[in-house]
Amino acid sequence: MDFILLGPPGAGKGTQAKLMIDKWNTPQVSTGDILRAAVREGTTLGVEAKGFMDRGELVPDRVVIGIIAERLREEDATDGFILDGFPRTIPQADALQEILDDLGRNIDHVISIEVDDEELVNRLTGRRMCKECGESFHVVFNPSAREGICDRCSGELYQRDDDKEATIRQRLTVYSEQTQPLIAYYEKQGKLRRIEGTGSIEEIFSRVLKAAGN
Ligand code: AP5
C-alpha cells in the first residue's frame, strides 16, 4: 500500500510511521529526515536546505520533488511506502501524481492526523530525537527508558534546532498557509482519512489501522 501521512509539525507522523513500518515492513520516506541527513553530512543539498529549515520555512519545491522522484524508484519502495512530510504544497502533490503515473502506481490512503496548536507546541518543545535511527521521544509524554539514550538503537538523543518555540510557531503558520490546502485536494479525490491525533500513541495507531482498512 502507498500511504501519505499528512499533519502539522508535531502531529505524530514520524511516531506513527515507525509503528507502520513494524507492522507492514514498508519503508518510511521522510523528506525531513533526508534533508537533516544532508545537513549533517554537509552536502550541496544540505547547505541549500539548512537556512530554510532553521527559519521554519519550506525548502523549495524543485529540491524536494527531485529527492522524492529518486527515492520512490529505489527497490525497497516497490511494494509500498509511507510518505511522511511530503507533499507539503499543491505543486508537490501534482508532481507526486506525475511520478506515480510514471511508475503505474497510485496513493491508496492519505491519513490526516489532527491535533490543536497548543498541544503541538508542547509536543515539539519536549521532543528528543535519536541521532542514529531518527526515533522520536518526548521528555514527558514518551520518555526513553534511559535519559538521553535511544530505546531502539542506544544512539544519543538530541533536540532539533527547529524545535524552539518561535520556530515552531513559524512552522505552524507555514503549515496552515501552504500545506493545509492539501486536505481539500485529497478529500476531492476521495482518499483522505481524518483521524483525531490526541490520546496515547497506541490509541492513535489503532485509528491509523482502522483508517487503512485493517
Ligand atoms: P519534518 O521533519 O517533516 O518536520 P514536521 O513536518 O515539522 O514534522 P515533525 O517531524 O516536527 O513532527 P511529526 O508529525 O513527525 O511528529 P513526531 O512523531 O516527531 O520537516 C522539517 C523541515 O524540513 C521543514 O520545516 C522544512 O523546512 C523541511 N521540509 C521537510 N519536508 C519538506 C517538504 N516536503 N517540502 C519543503 N520543505 C520540507 O512527534 C512529535 C513529538 O510528540 C515527539 O516528541 C513524540 O514523542 C510526541 N508524540 C507523538 N505522538 C504523541 C501522542 N499521541 N501524545 C503525546 N506525544 C506524542
Side-chain angles (χ1 to χ4, degrees):
M1 291 244 241
D2 296 340
F3 287 99
I4 294 174
L5 285 179
L6 196 61
K13 303 179 296 295
T15 302
Q16 294 301 321
K18 296 282 184 300
L19 297 173
M20 294 165 80
I21 297 171
D22 291 345
K23 174 141 183 91
W24 288 304
N25 203 20
T26 297
Q28 169 196 14
V29 177
S30 158
T31 36
D33 288 348
I34 294 169
L35 292 167
R36 273 185 294 280
V39 170
R40 261 198 313 277
E41 287 156 18
T43 63
T44 314
L45 166 65
V47 171
E48 181 173 6
K50 188 174 185 331
F52 294 101
M53 296 173 80
D54 286 350
R55 290 191 297 276
E57 294 167 7
L58 295 184
V59 173
D61 286 340
R62 70 175 160 76
V63 176
V64 283
I65 290 167
I67 293 174
I68 288 295
E70 265 183 42
R71 181 65 185 89
L72 296 187
R73 287 181 167 82
E74 286 177 25
E75 206 179 324
D76 67 333
T78 48
D79 290 336
F81 52 73
I82 303 156
L83 279 174
D84 161 9
F86 185 95
R88 263 175 144 101
T89 62
I90 301 280
Q92 289 182 21
D94 288 339
L96 175 64
Q97 190 57 54
E98 282 175 29
I99 294 166
L100 294 176
D101 286 347
D102 264 8
L103 294 170
R105 300 172 67 155
N106 218 342
I107 291 295
D108 297 292
H109 298 295
V110 179
I111 299 178
S112 169
I113 307 178
E114 304 189 346
V115 178
D116 74 55
D117 279 8
E118 290 319 303
E119 167 82 9
L120 295 171
V121 174
N122 286 336
R123 287 186 184 184
L124 292 176
T125 49
R127 172 166 59 184
R128 299 292 180 272
M129 288 189 65
C130 177
K131 276 188 177 163
E132 305 300 324
C133 71
E135 184 83 356
S136 175
F137 297 89
H138 190 281
V139 289
V140 177
F141 305 140
N142 181 28
S144 57
R146 288 173 296 164
E147 197 184 329
I149 309 223
C150 176
D151 289 349
R152 185 177 278 251
C153 75
S154 299
E156 189 190 334
L157 302 186
Y158 76 106
Q159 183 168 26
R160 270 170 46 177
D161 288 343
D162 60 350
D163 278 350
K164 302 194 174 75
E165 187 163 344
T167 317
I168 293 167
R169 299 235 176 242
Q170 169 63 13
R171 287 160 61 201
L172 292 174
T173 302
V174 167
Y175 175 80
S176 71
E177 290 174 358
Q178 299 191 54
T179 308
Q180 219 160 16
L182 291 177
I183 291 180
Y185 179 100
Y186 285 115
E187 203 152 41
K188 248 189 232 158
Q189 297 183 11
K191 292 181 179 157
L192 193 83
R193 318 274 176 265
R194 290 172 188 265
I195 64 166
E196 167 58 47
T198 43
S200 73
I201 290 169
E202 295 71 25
E203 277 166 349
I204 293 156
F205 188 52
S206 64
R207 291 175 205 152
V208 169
L209 292 179
K210 202 167 159 210
N214 278 250

